[in-house]
Amino acid sequence: MRARDNKMATFLGRLRRDRRGNTLAIMAAAMIPLIAMIGSGIDMTRAYMAQNRFRQACDAGSLAGRRLLSGLTVTQNVRDEATKYFTFNFPQGQFQSAAYTLAMSIPAPGTLRIASETTIPTTLMKIFGFDTLPITTTCSATQDFVNTDIMLVFDLSGSMNCAPGGAGDCGGTEQTGSKIGALRSAALSLYDTLEPAQNQLYDNNLRLRYGFVNYNSTVNVGRILYEKNPDWLVQSWQYQSRTPDWVDATPYFNGKSACNSAYTFDAQASQANPTYTGVMGGWWLTSNRCRVIVQSQSNSDGYTYERQTVDVRPYLASNLKATNTQTPAPIWQITGTNDPYDDKPYEFKSVWNGCIEERKTNSTLINGGTSTTAPADAYDLDVDLLPYNDDTRWRPMWNDITYNPDWTWGWPYYLPRQPATYCPTEARRLQNYYNNRAGFAAYVSGLVARGGTYHDLGMTWGARFISPTGLFKPSTPETNDVNDPDNPTKIRGFSVKKYMIFMTDGDMAPTSTAYSAYGMEYLDGRVMGSPSADNNALTARHLQRFRMACNAAKAKGIDVWVIAFATNLTTDMQNCASKPEQAAGLSTNAALIAKFQEIGSKIGSLRLSQ
């Protein structure tokens, strides 16, 4: 018995001490949790990668869709754009994912929200009954608006009356489907796109403002300058004019229409005597005779032409009062006891329309070269300089008393004729159009196209109107007054972003014989340095001025967009924009409207929000 027990003890002892095969048993026992742990690691890693890519796709989609968002409705365009960017970053079936859909909504004005979910299949986790793993995402993109100033600079030359593809100025008549009609619609589409943001700003005691500068061969800013500071305009100024005298020219004109039109190129005058029509040059009298003005003094040709100095200051107040309800005083008048060809007294009165001649420039250093920085004494290109003498003040542009002595009509009179002169629609300072779409629409519906194209004037005055450190500089750079009419850099601690949308439908086109903001170039020589009729050289100099004006605007922190509508997008126009993608050449009315909507959707800073 004892021998048997000893034998058993020896066997059990050996078995206890023998560890061979233990690993197999342990591995067999640990296999199940080990497989679960490895499988979950592999599947969770795949799920994490898929989840991360899914969220990135959501961010890309929401940002892309928000750029096209306007109003409180997720339109099909917004949905398509967001879906395109989402699926580009996470294609259907990536990581063997199940089909997914995108739920889009607008939880707050200016915010696009996207939510989506899908699943990816597992590998080893299937052994334990986990066939799929869920991945989900929710993201939002919002427009981070701050106080916003938008200056709209519009080329209102005569070609805007034409439909895209038309040439010239279409005879001064606005065609059906005209470019200026498309511009009006595009401006309203910008307002509509930004209206939710404007409302949001107003609700937070902040603001969004619009201003307008319309240009052709001059700008209509005289009333605004005078109301801001009367001393910004000269006391007197010299004009290419002549000593007036009356001559009966009835034999040389076929009736009233010919008499008036022959000497009336761009009437911006008020006639004191309602029995007379037309402006200085040709008048059709009640006695059915045509009277014209020639010279009372003689030279070798029998007539004298001279620069005349006109004392303009006494007339500015009555011409430029804000109410416009009083009878304007004349800037220049001729009166007589009676008419030599009629039995009634005669009198002529002219009222300034508000267009200006520019202040002194530098014609030596601005010679059509490559420099893009204006000389210090080129006061016409200085955005911020406040006037302090007659070189730095602006001058009223008066076409009624300006004549070109070299243009003649018919023997024996060799009559002087008025040069072509075009005054655009009056500019408008930055102002708040909150809840005033009708007022915005009324202004743009009144835009009238006429005249030539001086891009440098438009760019310079657009910058002047929006600059926070120039003509409309506030008393302090920061204010808590949301109704401050000037241009502070901060309102209630929030910065003011500044944008300029510059739109033209043609190339630079100055003309030496027209009366522009620089006088009559072939007589005055302000841009060329001496009287000249070389239009090619004149164009080169104005293009250099345009480049200087663009750089000056961008140096003020203005975000510049440039649109070439139904014309070539030149290198100068492209370089004028703050970024290459902010310059566009468009050929159709629909494209112009769409571009203004796009700009509106991009104004401000897009950001992702939770």
Side-chain angles (χ1 to χ4, degrees), residues 88-166:
F88 176 82
N89 286 275
F90 195 98
Q92 293 280 2
Q94 189 170 27
F95 295 99
Q96 297 178 304
S97 60
Y100 62 84
T101 58
L102 305 181
M104 301 184 196
S105 61
I106 303 175
T111 299
L112 177 66
R113 181 179 184 272
I114 298 178
S116 186
E117 60 182 26
T118 185
T119 60
I120 62 170
T122 60
T123 54
L124 296 177
M125 291 292 289
K126 290 181 180 179
I127 299 173
F128 306 98
F130 296 97
D131 294 329
T132 61
L133 291 174
I135 59 173
T136 63
T137 187
T138 299
C139 61
S140 296
T142 189
Q143 196 102 19
D144 189 14
F145 283 100
V146 295
N147 296 289
T148 303
D149 285 343
I150 303 172
M151 183 56 61
L152 301 171
V153 180
F154 293 154
D155 173 359
L156 290 191
S157 56
S159 57
M160 285 291 290
N161 288 317
C162 305

Side-chain angles (χ1 to χ4, degrees), residues 388-403:
Y388 58 88
N389 61 17
D390 277 0
D391 284 346
T392 58
R393 293 185 178 101
W394 290 281
R395 305 92 187 235
M397 181 180 183
W398 256 298
N399 55 299
D400 286 343
I401 64 172
T402 301
Y403 276 73

Side-chain angles (χ1 to χ4, degrees), residues 159-219:
S159 57
M160 285 291 290
N161 288 317
C162 305
D169 64 0
C170 300
T173 301
E174 185 176 333
Q175 293 183 338
T176 301
S178 67
K179 288 177 280 187
I180 192 170
L183 176 60
R184 297 185 189 111
S185 298
L188 279 174
S189 72
L190 177 72
Y191 181 95
D192 292 338
T193 301
L194 286 170
E195 188 172 25
Q198 181 173 251
N199 296 342
Q200 187 178 27
L201 287 171
Y202 183 85
D203 291 341
N204 289 277
N205 203 22
L206 300 174
R207 72 184 186 188
L208 183 154
R209 298 188 300 173
Y210 297 93
F212 298 87
V213 166
N214 311 299
Y215 74 94
N216 45 36
S217 51
T218 184
V219 288

Side-chain angles (χ1 to χ4, degrees), residues 323-377:
T323 60
N324 251 349
T325 57
Q326 75 293 334
T327 301
I331 183 61
W332 197 60
Q333 62 183 354
I334 303 171
T335 60
T337 55
N338 66 64
D339 192 308
Y341 304 105
D342 210 337
D343 58 358
K344 296 182 179 181
Y346 60 89
E347 184 179 46
F348 172 85
K349 291 185 178 181
S350 171
V351 179
W352 182 33
N353 52 29
C355 279
I356 56 99
E357 289 190 34
E358 262 300 345
R359 48 194 185 180
K360 186 179 178 180
T361 190
N362 182 314
S363 58
T364 302
L365 297 178
I366 307 178
N367 53 15
T370 59
S371 175
T372 57
T373 301
D377 61 347

